[in-house]
Amino acid sequence: MTDTGDGQEDDPGIQFLARRLAREVDISVAEARGLIKIIGTDWNSLVREARFLKERH
C-alpha cells in the first residue's frame, strides 16, 4: 500500500484506477479517489459520475 498524501492509503489497483479515471475524464486524481471511495470500483458508474462532476465545475 502507498500513502496518497491525504492521510489515506490505497492499494496499487485503486491508485491505477484513480489515475486512469482522472486521465480519461480530466478530473484530479484526488477527485477520482473520492469517487472510488463513495461508488466503488465499477468502471461505468465511475465514468458516469466523473463526467457529471466535471460538468458541474
Side-chain angles (χ1 to χ4, degrees):
M1 296 214 182
T2 57
D3 186 353
T4 62
D6 58 6
Q8 299 179 2
E9 291 189 0
D10 284 333
D11 68 44
I14 298 298
Q15 288 281 39
F16 174 81
L17 189 61
R19 287 191 304 269
R20 179 180 172 203
L21 182 62
R23 185 173 49 251
E24 290 216 12
V25 186
D26 194 28
I27 61 173
S28 73
V29 174
E31 289 172 320
R33 277 197 316 266
L35 287 174
I36 292 167
K37 184 177 180 181
I38 293 168
I39 296 169
T41 58
D42 180 74
W43 180 251
N44 291 330
S45 296
L46 288 169
V47 170
R48 181 182 63 242
E49 293 302 317
R51 287 180 178 153
F52 177 75
L53 176 68
K54 183 176 170 136
E55 288 176 9
R56 291 186 63 205
H57 286 73

